[in-house]
Amino acid sequence: MTKQTNIMIVFDIDGVIRDVSGSYRRALADTVEHFTHQAYRPTDVDIDHLKSEGIWNNDWEGSQELIYRYFVSQGKNREELALNYEDIVVYFQSRYRGTDPVNWNGYICNEPLLLQASYLETLTQVGIGWGFFSGATRGSASYILERRLGLKSPVLIAMEDAPGKPDPTGLFATIDLLENGAEKKQTVIYVGDTVADMHTVEKARSLDNSRTWVGVGVLPPHVQTTGERRDAYTETLINAGAKVVFSNVQELTPEEILGWEIFAK
């Protein structure tokens, strides 16, 4: 295979690198249930519908929004609800990270990996640069990348480093770190599992037309339980701008990428 030096891949983490259906999404459902006094627990479909709006990438904010919507559905006004965002965050983290701030013991400890470090090595071997841009906190992202995958100081832009998606600021920052003053990479592939991820690519393209921007969708495990959900989610990602949608990120092989029309010689 001819070595390529003009391509970089930036990966989202949740739903792409790790399965968060039993962690982030479970913590979100727990949080909504807690703050609605056990009256409402959102289903996976409820959460998917929220995220399909393209603006709820932050699960703390998503939790708050679903709590608001429940009470509004019961005839209350948002203005009269005394929701404390910090309380929501603290409760969410107590479920996700756990009760021990040093040795985490929450849902994060049991997240299945969706990618192996050897896959990233195959990208490196053909000269494809790679890094991560995620709405997860730096602690959570580093936990999975360094402790679980064994990566050494990977390029990462996390929640604390940039505005939330679909704002592309964090994507641009990841690219800057990857290039580190070296020759400009002409093609940027961003791999994500949500509408917000695909919209991030669209916004990046609108601000910088000097590169080729490619959005690649990945189906998170929780939508692959039935053909109907799988097809509907695939259509949602494509409609949001995905060039292609895979069942697993490792299907995005160097051979697949170099076979795309944009690289045809």
Side-chain angles (χ1 to χ4, degrees), residues 12 33 75 112 122-123 132 153 165 169 181 200 236 241 252:
D12 180 31
E33 184 175 46
T122 66
L123 300 179
F132 304 90
S153 301
K165 293 176 279 189
T169 300
T200 300
T236 295
L252 181 65

Side-chain angles (χ1 to χ4, degrees), residues 94-184:
S94 75
R95 310 300 290 175
Y96 180 65
R97 290 189 176 185
T99 55
D100 187 331
V102 178
N103 299 304
W104 293 354
N105 56 6
Y107 300 152
I108 188 175
C109 300
N110 299 311
E111 292 172 329
L113 293 174
L114 303 174
L115 171 153
Q116 301 302 317
S118 57
Y119 163 74
L120 298 171
E121 180 57 31
T122 66
L123 300 179
T124 300
Q125 289 172 357
V126 298
I128 296 176
W130 49 269
F132 304 90
F133 167 42
S134 172
T137 64
R138 178 162 287 274
S140 170
S142 296
Y143 180 93
I144 203 73
L145 297 178
E146 298 184 19
R147 186 178 301 189
R148 297 286 307 283
L149 275 174
L151 305 180
K152 305 299 183 183
S153 301
V155 168
L156 167 66
I157 295 295
M159 176 192 289
E160 299 91 335
D161 307 316
K165 293 176 279 189
D167 188 311
T169 300
L171 181 56
F172 290 140
T174 310
I175 293 166
D176 288 342
L177 289 174
L178 286 170
E179 290 179 333
N180 193 26
E183 183 179 355
K184 181 177 181 178

